[in-house]
């Protein structure tokens, strides 16, 4: 689970630079959130909030913030969209590519 991965990464945080931390979190956590996220369109707000909590925890891990600190600016500084916006962006991007002949053949 992503929560377990975030906890494990936080245990070795002191060994990594901020850039290394971004690389590890992007490859281990954010890539899992983005995998098939177009299928999340229309799911209940509760599930979206659970995914958002994971993304916020990853952003706090990179920025070195604590559990109850505000994370809004950190998402912007990392150039990450919120989960709901990521889902819509993924669908819009695939639609654009399909209409302009840039999508894979199976779409």
């Amino acid at each position: 689970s992503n929560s377990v991965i975030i906890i494990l990464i936080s245990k070795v945080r002191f060994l990594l630079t901020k850039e290394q931390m971004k690389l590890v979190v992007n490859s281990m956590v954010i890539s899992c959130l983005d995998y098939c996220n177009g299928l999340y369109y229309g799911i209940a707000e509760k599930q979206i909030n659970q995914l958002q909590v994971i993304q916020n925890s990853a952003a706090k891990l990179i920025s070195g913030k604590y559990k109850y600190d505000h994370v809004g600016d950190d998402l912007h500084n990392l150039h990450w969209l919120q989960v709901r916006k990521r889902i819509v962006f993924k669908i819009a991007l695939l639609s654009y590519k399909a209409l302009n002949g840039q999508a894979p053949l199976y779409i």
Side-chain angles (χ1 to χ4, degrees):
S1 143
N2 284 327
S3 301
V4 174
I5 293 171
I6 290 172
I7 291 170
L8 292 174
I9 294 171
S10 70
K11 293 184 185 290
V12 296
R13 175 175 44 186
F14 66 94
L15 298 172
L16 304 172
T17 65
K18 186 172 181 174
E19 290 302 316
Q20 292 170 331
M21 181 69 67
K22 283 171 56 175
L23 183 67
V24 170
V25 170
N26 272 321
S27 63
M28 303 284 294
V29 179
I30 302 303
S31 64
C32 292
L33 286 177
D34 282 343
Y35 179 71
C36 291
N37 68 351
L39 297 175
Y40 297 151
Y41 187 79
I43 66 172
E45 195 65 30
K46 182 178 179 181
Q47 282 83 21
I48 294 290
N49 289 339
Q50 290 172 343
L51 295 172
Q52 188 64 54
V53 165
I54 293 170
Q55 186 184 35
N56 290 350
S57 297
K60 288 177 186 177
L61 180 64
I62 292 171
S63 64
K65 290 192 173 179
Y66 295 105
K67 184 176 182 178
Y68 296 107
D69 290 341
H70 185 67
V71 76
D73 293 336
D74 295 326
L75 293 176
H76 185 268
N77 292 338
L78 291 168
H79 303 286
W80 290 355
L81 293 172
Q82 293 177 349
V83 172
R84 171 80 58 202
K85 293 178 182 177
R86 289 174 92 93
I87 294 168
V88 172
F89 177 77
K90 177 84 170 242
I91 293 169
L93 181 64
L94 283 174
S95 300
Y96 174 81
K97 286 184 174 185
L99 292 172
N100 292 302
Q102 299 172 347
L105 296 175
Y106 58 84
I107 292 183

